[in-house]
Amino acid sequence: MIRITPPLPVVAKGLAGFLVEMSATHARIDWMGDHADSNINKISVSRSSAKHSDFDVRPEGQSIYRFDENSLTEVQDLMHALRKSQHIDLCATQDVEHSAKDNGFSSIKIPVVSLPEVNWSEVSTEKTFLGQTFGAPIVITGMTGGVAQGTMINERLAHCAVTHKIPMGVGSQRMALENSALEGIFKLKDKFPGLFLIGNVGIGQLHGPHFLDFCQRAVDMIHANALAIHVNVLQELIQVEGDRDFRGIIEKISAIQSKLKVPVIVKEVGAGLDAITAKKLWDTGIKYFDVGGAGGTSWAHIEGLRASDELIRRRGALFRDWGLTTAEALKTVRSALPAAAIIATGGIRDGLTVLKAVYSGADMAGIGLPLMKAAIEHDDAATKLMAAIIDELKIAMMVSGIRISPKN
Ligand SMILES: Cc1cc2nc3c(=O)[nH]c(=O)nc-3n(C[C@H](O)[C@H](O)[C@H](O)COP(=O)(O)O)c2cc1C
């Protein structure tokens, strides 16, 4: 069961209550006042002021209801939307980062040049990646905006990306692939035609025979310039409803790469890509990697925070700091694959660290959480934060003498 925060209003036969916990099959409802459980066979859940869902239920115990078979698809849809909204709420309000580890770049030393005889205007942050020249070696990494705030967050991030001529990823497109009414959240090129957009699906969605079609639809939906496939095994294992079977995934990723006309990026999300896995992927034709290391947003911790079950909370805490730091993952993948195109994401928060990542072998640095928070805060806060980061990058370039190699 996951905790529903804030609880969702529920009505049934004139009774009012709140949905406080939910799993893919069960719900716990706190009713206001007296009621007779056995009389309730349909509950109506208010998802937002605009949307209600009716579910067939069977009472199971005091305040616990089992969803009827007929309702399961819709329940899963609701769970998915709730999960995404919870991720946003937790990221906006709580400390969701690794606690005992930093991104690993603090100990990396870069050169110092006391008197750089250059003009600020000559220092270029430009970088060519995925066949396009960008204003800085920075990617806005894919983040899901949830249903209610999704469009607003994505548009603010897209504005930031277009202003600074940098690429942007969207978060998992799963919900829009399963429910076309939600496609608008991701279709950013209608409003931002010049945007370089990276689509996103997870390894959890590659089950079954239709995975190629699923990925093709993800690309077509948003006219994506590339597709990221996120690898989040630890997160899946912590989630109650997460995936448990990862057999054959590398072969599937290879088939996706062969079928799609856009490049495929394999993207870890906080536990750090290891060199052996990267090499296996490389051998099947994958050339683009986001090493997604520890030191920033911790998905194990977020899943622990979402859970009401004490055992899941314990798991989340235990694995909060799991994985290779971003600097470690970058180092190991770069030495195994000198010719790979690598994005380093995970705990990168400023322009000095962007330069340290580039100096350590990254082609691009990815930034997630701080941009998401800024996008929630104010309409141009993400754009301003990115301007500050690019300025910091330039200062670091001036006083270190390090230059960004324009090509990758
Ligand atoms: C609210 C939120 C939602 C995210 N959703 C996705 C997602 O759907 N797909 C994905 O590949 N990564 C997702 N991520 C992971 C980020 O792209 C990034 O890899 C991770 O947050 C580490 O970077 P950071 O430390 O800068 O946040 C999400 C991150 C955040 C903060």
Side-chain angles (χ1 to χ4, degrees), residues 141-144 171-172 200 230 267 296-297 299 345 347 349 368-369 372:
T141 64
M143 291 177 283
T144 310
S172 172
N200 191 294
H230 67 259
K267 174 180 185 293
T297 306
W299 286 98
T345 303
R349 305 287 177 254
L369 185 65
M372 164 70 76

Side-chain angles (χ1 to χ4, degrees), residues 11-316:
V11 290
K13 294 197 170 163
L15 287 168
F18 288 96
L19 180 61
V20 289
E21 283 183 340
M22 193 177 172
S23 75
T25 52
H26 288 79
R28 180 188 295 277
I29 296 165
D30 283 350
W31 295 106
M32 291 171 358
D34 289 337
H35 70 98
D37 271 359
S38 54
N39 288 334
I40 293 171
N41 52 15
K42 192 180 264 303
I43 57 171
S44 175
V45 179
S46 311
R47 298 168 65 168
S48 66
S49 52
K51 188 152 185 191
H52 292 265
S53 304
D54 288 322
F55 300 108
D56 294 324
V57 289
R58 277 174 278 155
E60 213 174 69
Q62 214 183 8
S63 81
I64 297 199
Y65 294 80
R66 174 189 281 277
F67 294 108
D68 203 273
E69 312 282 281
N70 304 330
S71 295
L72 286 185
T73 314
E74 245 209 288
V75 169
Q76 273 158 12
D77 205 35
L78 173 62
M79 283 283 286
H80 196 62
L82 282 173
R83 181 159 67 228
K84 293 299 167 196
S85 299
Q86 284 185 323
H87 286 160
I88 300 292
D89 288 346
L90 288 167
C91 286
T93 58
Q94 311 234 359
D95 175 4
V96 293
E97 301 192 63
H98 292 85
S99 63
K101 259 181 194 164
D102 78 357
N103 51 36
F105 289 112
S106 56
S107 58
I108 290 194
K109 302 250 184 299
I110 58 174
V112 172
V113 175
S114 313
L115 183 53
E117 287 196 85
V118 286
N119 187 332
W120 172 263
S121 63
E122 292 162 13
V123 179
S124 168
T125 57
E126 281 193 354
K127 174 78 191 174
T128 300
F129 189 71
L130 288 162
Q132 181 140 333
T133 302
F134 296 108
I138 302 174
V139 184
I140 301 175
T141 64
M143 291 177 283
T144 310
V147 175
Q149 302 148 289
T151 309
M152 176 198 83
I153 291 173
N154 275 351
E155 288 189 355
R156 289 177 175 182
L157 293 175
H159 179 262
C160 169
V162 167
T163 306
H164 296 292
K165 297 196 191 70
I166 56 174
M168 166 184 172
V170 293
S172 172
Q173 291 169 254
R174 175 182 169 184
M175 57 184 178
L177 286 161
E178 290 171 355
N179 178 358
S180 58
L182 301 174
E183 285 183 3
I185 296 173
F186 299 92
K187 285 189 161 181
L188 295 159
K189 286 201 185 184
D190 295 350
K191 197 162 173 186
F192 301 91
L195 182 63
F196 188 100
L197 202 53
I198 304 170
N200 191 294
V201 298
I203 50 169
Q205 286 96 66
L206 304 185
H207 289 296
H210 303 300
F211 66 98
L212 288 174
D213 179 51
F214 190 83
C215 293
Q216 184 67 61
R217 288 200 293 125
V219 170
D220 294 343
M221 180 198 299
I222 60 169
H223 304 292
N225 301 87
L227 180 72
I229 300 178
H230 67 259
V231 173
N232 61 336
V233 172
L234 178 62
Q235 181 185 12
E236 295 287 342
L237 294 177
I238 303 245
Q239 274 179 14
V240 202
E241 68 275 21
D243 228 2
R244 295 288 183 270
D245 182 2
F246 306 101
R247 287 171 300 172
I249 294 285
I250 290 184
E251 207 178 307
K252 286 190 170 181
I253 292 175
S254 164
I256 296 163
Q257 161 68 61
S258 308
K259 164 154 171 121
L260 295 185
K261 293 202 170 57
V262 296
V264 168
I265 305 167
V266 175
K267 174 180 185 293
E268 236 294 351
V269 294
L273 189 65
D274 72 277
I276 293 173
T277 304
K279 176 76 170 62
K280 281 190 198 163
L281 288 158
W282 173 268
D283 289 344
T284 70
I286 300 295
K287 302 285 176 254
Y288 296 91
F289 301 89
D290 183 335
V291 294
T297 306
S298 166
W299 286 98
H301 178 45
I302 292 175
E303 293 305 335
L305 290 174
R306 275 178 66 224
S308 45
D309 184 329
E310 191 43 48
L311 285 176
I312 309 293
R313 295 176 76 78
R314 183 185 147 107
R315 269 188 219 167

